Amino acid sequence: MVKLSVEDIIVKIKNEETFEAVSEDYSFTIKIEEYVYYACGAVHNGHQFRQELWDNCLHTEYERWFEEDPETKEMVKSHPIVIAGCDSRFEYDLNRAPETAIYEDAWGKKLWKQPLPIEMHEKSLQKHANFYKVVHALISKLEEKFGVCIVYDMHSYNWKRWTREVPTWNLGTSNIDNHRFGEDIESWRAVLEKTPLPNGIKSTSKINDTFQGNGYFLKYITQNFNNTLVLATEIAKVYCDEIKQIMYPEVVVAVEKYLKLELKKHANTFYTKHKS
């Protein structure tokens, strides 16, 4: 892995170079081992929270971790194209539009002791903008090269805060073309419900049960590109104890191992069906 400027990353994508890099401000990583018709994203994977914000933040490190999506990059790490956030959504949320990306409050609790100075806002929003410059360049290249593209938008959610039974996997589809891609959505749901999980954890999957797919990452790509399907894929945090902050690495490995084969097969089927 190398450290690159956003401009250098975009040049490499335009030239179809393979590389693995972290942005020069350490806000995101991108890996392109091969130019293929599918990509994986983990926009809430990050936990970094820059030091100059610490004293002004009312949320603890644990409270921030609780709402992040740890290990979602790890679950798709074997695939050729992976882009992931490094910073916590509590600094700026890559899955929100720029105007709402910096929280005033989070999950019912005020975030800042004092309003953020303008320069703090601008520093965070520049990182948000840089990420989407790279996303735009990436999807532009994949659509140019293959005609169609599919993006697996990986998230997790806190299932223990729900008062009813919720699925292990949820697909949010309210902002994608269900008429055009309905079979692809359903086949992905069917793949997910067969995920073999250890420790007696059952795997179920539903569409728009807990979340509807309203994230900015999905909306940005869908609104700017006509031939890319984004599948907002949420796994319940069965891979950790979300209350005690204990990770279950054997569950993460089981998901990664399964998706290593099944995600690629799903992407291949999608491309074979939709390529012109």
Side-chain angles (χ1 to χ4, degrees):
M1 180 179 284
V2 296
K3 181 172 69 172
L4 294 174
S5 69
V6 166
E7 292 74 19
D8 287 340
I9 290 171
I10 290 172
V11 167
K12 286 184 176 294
I13 291 171
K14 288 182 176 178
N15 293 335
E16 293 185 27
E17 297 179 45
T18 57
F19 65 99
E20 185 172 6
V22 62
S23 63
E24 62 183 354
D25 61 5
Y26 294 98
S27 62
F28 68 91
T29 61
I30 181 170
K31 176 189 74 169
I32 304 180
E33 295 176 331
E34 178 186 1
Y35 283 82
V36 293
Y37 36 80
Y38 73 99
C40 299
V43 298
H44 284 158
N45 187 75
H47 185 60
Q48 291 177 164
F49 193 69
R50 68 177 197 263
Q51 188 174 7
E52 61 188 346
L53 300 173
W54 292 0
D55 290 343
N56 194 31
C57 183
L58 291 165
H59 284 238
T60 65
E61 184 273 339
Y62 167 74
E63 287 174 315
R64 297 195 300 271
W65 174 87
F66 186 81
E67 303 296 351
E68 295 159 353
D69 297 350
E71 303 295 338
T72 46
K73 176 184 175 182
E74 187 73 9
M75 294 174 187
V76 292
K77 67 178 183 179
S78 61
H79 296 284
I81 303 176
V82 181
I83 186 167
C86 298
D87 292 327
S88 172
R89 65 194 301 184
F90 282 79
E91 182 187 342
Y92 58 96
D93 193 333
L94 287 170
N95 215 28
R96 288 190 180 186
E99 56 269 21
T100 59
I102 297 177
Y103 303 162
E104 295 296 329
D105 55 66
W107 288 272
K109 179 179 176 179
K110 184 180 176 183
L111 184 55
W112 309 110
K113 297 175 185 176
Q114 302 294 331
L116 283 185
I118 291 175
E119 60 268 25
M120 296 293 101
H121 265 267
E122 291 178 346
K123 185 179 289 189
S124 293
L125 288 180
Q126 186 59 57
K127 293 197 268 187
H128 186 283
N130 286 341
F131 179 84
Y132 278 97
K133 288 178 184 177
V134 172
V135 168
H136 197 99
L138 174 62
I139 304 303
S140 294
K141 171 55 67 175
L142 298 184
E143 278 205 1
E144 169 196 317
K145 189 170 178 66
F146 298 105
V148 294
C149 174
I150 186 167
V151 177
Y152 298 88
D153 175 20
M154 304 300 294
H155 296 270
S156 64
Y157 77 96
N158 301 91
W159 67 275
K160 289 184 178 180
R161 63 162 36 122
W162 292 78
T163 57
R164 62 174 174 86
E165 185 174 353
V166 291
T168 315
W169 297 94
N170 179 85
L171 295 185
T173 68
S174 63
N175 288 285
I176 56 180
D177 189 339
N178 285 261
H179 178 74
R180 181 182 180 189
F181 297 120
E183 291 182 0
D184 308 291
I185 294 165
E186 171 54 28
S187 63
W188 183 232
R189 187 208 61 76
V191 165
L192 294 172
E193 75 174 0
K194 296 183 178 69
T195 308
L197 297 173
N199 307 332
I201 301 170
K202 67 178 181 179
S203 192
T204 58
S205 62
K206 294 187 178 181
I207 295 172
N208 298 327
D209 183 82
T210 49
F211 299 94
Q212 286 70 48
N214 291 317
Y216 184 69
F217 184 66
L218 179 151
K219 287 182 176 179
Y220 179 88
I221 295 173
T222 301
Q223 291 168 5
N224 284 280
F225 298 94
N226 293 327
N227 293 306
T228 297
L229 169 62
V230 183
L231 292 173
T233 305
E234 301 248 5
I235 182 171
K237 288 183 179 175
V238 296
Y239 62 90
C240 68
D241 186 322
E242 63 193 66
I243 307 301
K244 298 179 181 178
Q245 199 175 0
I246 298 171
M247 301 305 302
Y248 303 151
E250 76 279 22
V251 183
V252 176
V253 168
V255 173
E256 190 275 331
K257 183 178 179 181
Y258 180 67
L259 294 185
K260 183 175 183 177
L261 298 175
E262 296 301 325
L263 188 153
K264 182 178 180 180
K265 284 165 59 177
H266 185 266
N268 289 344
T269 301
F270 170 86
Y271 180 64
T272 300
K273 178 181 176 182
H274 294 284
K275 66 181 180 180
S276 53

